[in-house]
Amino acid sequence: MSIRQLIRGRLSPVGEPIVLGGESAPIEASIPAGYVSQAVNSGTAALSLAMSLAAVGFEGDSAEVILPAYGCPDLLAAADYAGLKPVLVDIEAQSPRYCVESLRAAINDRTVAIVAVNFLGINEDFPRLRALIGQRNIVLIEDNAQYFPVQSTDGCYSGDLVVLSFGRGKPISQVGGGALLATMKFSELISDRATTLAFERVREWQWRLKARLFNLVLQPQYYQLLLMLPFLHIGETRYHALEQIQRMDPWRLHYLEVNIEAYRARSRRVQKRLDELLQGESCGLLNLPRMLGCIDKPLLRYPVLCTSDEQCAELYRGLLDGGLGVSRMYERPLDEISDVPHAFSVGYEGASQFSRRLITLPVTSFVDDARLERIRACLQSVA
């Protein structure tokens, strides 16, 4: 590693500093009309809680929840904790959205919920999902672990149940925590379940220390040092079993709204500039947010799809060597992740191709003009 690289450091693929002061309004200020909320200890806990609520009233064994075949292993961990059978459904080869034919074939009398993942700011096609569900008693769970709306207005959410995450590397980070939003149909169920949940036991000084350390390692020079510690497994895709569901600790909850306000005030300059670069220097790359009609939404990372495995490998290597915050996300479908405690007998060609050709670019405030120029040069090099 050269002296210049040491001085520059390496960009983190995602993450913005946590605000540790200021007046904070109640979280209810960010909940749109028609929903009630319950803050819990993680986004995975919120998702598992949503799945368990969806299964209430199901008669029979082996209630099933449909999940996209490409995604975070926490989807499976949530289903396992809720006691539901996960059913993977393929996605489109050039989109993180469900393949309609595969989804239609997977729905049956045991299906209690479909998880619609908002991938980095690219939402699912909810009208299409509603049409497929029809009159069936299937709950649509909107997983927004990677997305948060700029404004909490009517229509900003589409699910019967909506999952939010406030963990590391999320749109709004509290180094942990999550929330479940529920339509009024589920208000009594979620209220009853909340009475059984204990609070996380986290002291204020512990939370503030974690937040300060998180803020520190977002700096490129410190993030570079973090990557030199292989036992931390930074960026690796692994299955982690969910151990419990608890209420969010008061200190995370106290500072949540002020961090939501900071998120909403944040500049989207880098996202707009990357969109411009991909239109001018696309080299055949697929600009997914623009192609799928989500370019005006805040992105957690900027997803780009390459036209071949070889082009993806070349572009990834160039961006990685430059310390430019590139990521391959999950790299493989859920059925190919070695430590997942499930055996899936069906292949998922769309998810496989999507995972092999996807890279993400950072949109954080640490991406300055000089780094944007180096990203542009990498994009141009694969022309």
Side-chain angles (χ1 to χ4, degrees):
M1 184 179 296
S2 69
I3 294 178
R4 177 177 293 183
Q5 287 175 314
L6 285 171
I7 294 173
R8 285 176 176 169
R10 304 184 74 88
L11 285 176
S12 169
V14 68
E16 295 286 357
I18 299 170
V19 178
L20 293 171
E23 295 296 324
S24 185
I27 181 58
E28 286 73 18
S30 291
I31 306 302
Y35 286 91
V36 295
S37 68
Q38 178 59 54
V40 290
N41 53 309
S42 71
T44 309
L47 180 57
S48 187
L49 179 57
M51 292 178 180
S52 65
L53 295 181
V56 171
F58 175 79
E59 297 180 359
D61 299 325
S62 301
E64 296 179 355
V65 57
I66 290 177
L67 308 171
Y70 178 78
C72 179
D74 289 347
L75 295 169
L76 295 172
D80 292 341
Y81 189 88
L84 273 61
K85 178 183 177 182
V87 176
L88 300 186
V89 169
D90 207 2
I91 62 170
E92 299 171 356
Q94 295 186 350
S95 163
R97 294 170 177 165
Y98 282 116
C99 167
V100 176
E101 292 75 16
S102 299
L103 181 57
R104 182 181 291 110
I107 295 173
N108 59 52
D109 293 340
R110 297 182 299 278
T111 305
V112 297
I114 298 173
V115 176
V117 174
N118 188 313
F119 182 71
L120 304 176
I122 298 176
N123 59 281
E124 255 293 352
D125 186 338
F126 282 95
R128 182 177 65 173
L129 296 183
R130 292 289 185 192
L132 282 174
I133 290 172
Q135 299 302 312
R136 298 180 182 90
N137 187 27
I138 297 175
V139 176
L140 192 53
I141 301 174
E142 182 177 353
D143 184 357
N144 282 345
Q146 300 174 2
Y147 172 76
F148 197 89
V150 174
Q151 293 183 327
S152 293
T153 56
D154 292 348
C156 67
Y157 299 123
S158 301
D160 304 310
L161 298 168
V162 180
V163 173
L164 303 174
S165 179
F166 308 116
R168 292 183 294 273
K170 301 301 183 181
I172 300 157
S173 178
Q174 297 290 89
V175 287
L180 176 62
L181 312 186
T183 54
M184 300 312 294
K185 171 185 175 181
F186 295 93
S187 61
E188 187 173 343
L189 283 175
I190 198 171
S191 177
D192 290 344
R193 183 63 189 275
T195 62
T196 69
L197 301 178
F199 278 99
E200 285 184 284
R201 295 188 176 183
V202 179
R203 298 181 184 275
E204 183 181 13
W205 69 266
Q206 293 174 315
W207 179 82
R208 293 180 71 89
L209 177 60
K210 288 182 179 179
R212 290 184 184 280
L213 288 173
F214 175 78
N215 289 352
L216 181 66
V217 298
L218 286 179
Q219 305 294 324
Q221 290 77 17
Y222 290 102
Y223 183 72
Q224 178 174 252
L225 295 176
L226 201 67
L227 292 176
M228 295 178 181
L229 306 175
F231 60 87
L232 293 178
H233 305 291
I234 301 297
E236 290 186 14
T237 301
R238 294 187 164 202
Y239 174 93
H240 299 282
L242 177 63
E243 297 181 354
Q244 58 186 335
I245 301 177
Q246 298 175 301
R247 293 193 190 192
M248 185 188 291
D249 71 87
W251 298 113
R252 283 190 231 271
L253 195 58
H254 176 76
Y255 289 107
L256 182 55
E257 184 61 30
V258 70
N259 278 279
I260 291 175
E261 293 170 2
Y263 165 81
R264 288 175 169 161
R266 195 168 296 144
S267 168
R268 310 295 170 192
R269 178 189 67 88
V270 176
Q271 177 177 321
K272 292 177 181 177
R273 182 64 181 131
L274 288 175
D275 178 44
E276 293 170 357
L277 290 178
L278 286 163
Q279 292 182 74
E281 308 283 353
S282 64
C283 317
L285 301 172
L286 296 183
N287 183 344
L288 287 180
R290 179 161 291 279
M291 184 180 79
L292 298 174
C294 299
I295 193 60
D296 294 327
K297 295 186 176 182
L299 301 174
L300 181 61
R301 312 184 192 195
Y302 205 110
V304 177
L305 207 61
C306 297
T307 56
S308 69
D309 297 7
E310 294 75 20
Q311 185 190 45
C312 187
E314 181 182 352
L315 180 57
Y316 176 71
R317 176 53 56 187
L319 292 164
L320 184 67
D321 289 346
L324 295 172
V326 66
S327 165
R328 293 292 306 275
M329 286 297 288
Y330 309 122
E331 296 193 57
R332 58 185 65 87
L334 282 169
D335 67 312
E336 296 180 15
I337 295 176
S338 59
D339 56 352
V340 165
H342 293 277
F344 300 98
S345 58
V346 180
Y348 306 96
E349 182 54 37
S352 179
Q353 180 172 315
F354 185 85
S355 64
R356 294 197 312 269
R357 299 183 180 181
L358 175 76
I359 66 165
T360 72
L361 304 172
V363 295
T364 71
S365 57
F366 297 98
V367 184
D368 55 23
D369 289 340
R371 289 186 170 95
L372 280 169
E373 176 58 27
R374 288 159 58 205
I375 290 173
R376 185 202 64 77
C378 287
L379 295 176
Q380 194 174 45
S381 71
V382 298

